[in-house]
Amino acid sequence: MTIEQLLAHFPDLEKDTCYKILNDSVYYLEDIKDAVTSFKFEEEYWNLCLENNNSKEILLLENEFSIMKNEVSKKCDWVLFENNNLYFVESKDVKPRSRNKERKDAIKQLIATIEFYKSKMEFSSITVFSQICFKSNSRIIKTGDQARKILFKQYDSEFSESNYISFE
């Protein structure tokens, strides 16, 4: 599937508001409630780092703000697409002691978003990744616990907790 083919499943999307094409080597994204993603510098406040070493075209869908904005179900913040890989990302900006409660909510948001996208498009040729992103002052990579990995396998998705994605 190409970026254009994926976008065809969601007609009437406005470029730069509903989606962006990213091809620079590094992005730092800040999730802003009820607004499009803000791009930051490493030394500023950010929620998610995208590293694009080969300057590939990556599609960033403003999922919560635009694609699923009118859906009553829960929804994750961002959906990224690159080379038949689909990344569902929910960003949580909470202190470590509040993460357990927020993690449960994030899981519901990710699953509802996967189900929404599966109702709109065919996933047979797509590899799916689900990720909870907790704000940190540095890049954190954590695989997530085994129970959550097993849960997401039911949705044909890999699962991790990280504020970093590397596109090779």
Side-chain angles (χ1 to χ4, degrees):
M1 179 181 300
T2 66
I3 287 175
E4 293 76 22
Q5 290 169 323
L6 189 146
L7 288 173
H9 293 284
F10 304 100
D12 305 321
L13 292 183
E14 186 179 328
K15 187 174 183 181
D16 297 324
T17 301
C18 302
Y19 72 94
K20 294 169 183 66
I21 305 294
L22 311 177
N23 51 25
D24 288 344
S25 59
V26 178
Y27 290 90
Y28 296 93
L29 283 60
E30 181 184 6
D31 178 32
I32 300 174
K33 188 161 184 69
D34 298 325
V36 296
T37 301
S38 177
F39 294 94
K40 299 294 184 173
F41 293 101
E42 184 173 14
E43 59 277 358
E44 296 179 299
Y45 179 90
W46 51 271
N47 300 93
L48 178 66
C49 174
L50 302 178
E51 199 168 87
N52 184 10
N53 295 324
N54 297 322
S55 298
K56 297 178 177 185
E57 280 197 339
I58 300 166
L59 173 66
L60 168 66
L61 295 168
E62 297 280 357
N63 187 63
E64 186 174 45
F65 177 72
S66 68
I67 307 280
M68 292 181 69
K69 185 174 189 165
N70 296 323
E71 296 295 314
V72 293
S73 67
K74 291 190 170 283
K75 50 201 140 259
C76 72
D77 295 309
W78 300 301
V79 177
L80 300 157
F81 178 77
E82 180 273 328
N83 193 30
N84 281 332
N85 295 313
L86 201 53
Y87 298 80
F88 296 96
V89 181
E90 173 56 26
S91 179
K92 296 291 186 184
D93 192 3
V94 296
K95 294 185 178 2
R97 69 176 178 269
S98 302
R99 287 186 178 172
N100 244 5
K101 176 185 175 291
E102 293 298 324
R103 189 176 281 118
K104 290 175 184 170
D105 187 53
I107 289 168
K108 291 175 185 173
Q109 290 172 272
L110 289 165
I111 290 171
T113 305
I114 291 170
E115 289 175 339
F116 172 82
Y117 276 73
K118 280 188 172 184
S119 75
K120 302 286 182 192
M121 55 195 275
E122 175 61 44
F123 272 39
S124 63
S125 65
I126 295 175
T127 303
V128 178
F129 299 90
S130 300
Q131 183 166 320
I132 299 173
C133 170
F134 288 112
K135 192 258 181 232
S136 176
N137 293 330
S138 60
R139 295 179 192 172
I140 303 293
I141 301 171
K142 179 183 173 192
T143 59
D145 78 2
Q146 198 60 29
R148 284 186 278 283
K149 285 183 171 190
I150 291 169
L151 171 65
F152 279 91
K153 283 287 182 204
Q154 296 173 33
Y155 298 93
D156 299 318
S157 175
E158 298 293 322
F159 173 79
S160 66
E161 286 185 19
S162 178
N163 64 355
Y164 171 74
I165 298 174
S166 178
F167 298 95
E168 300 298 326

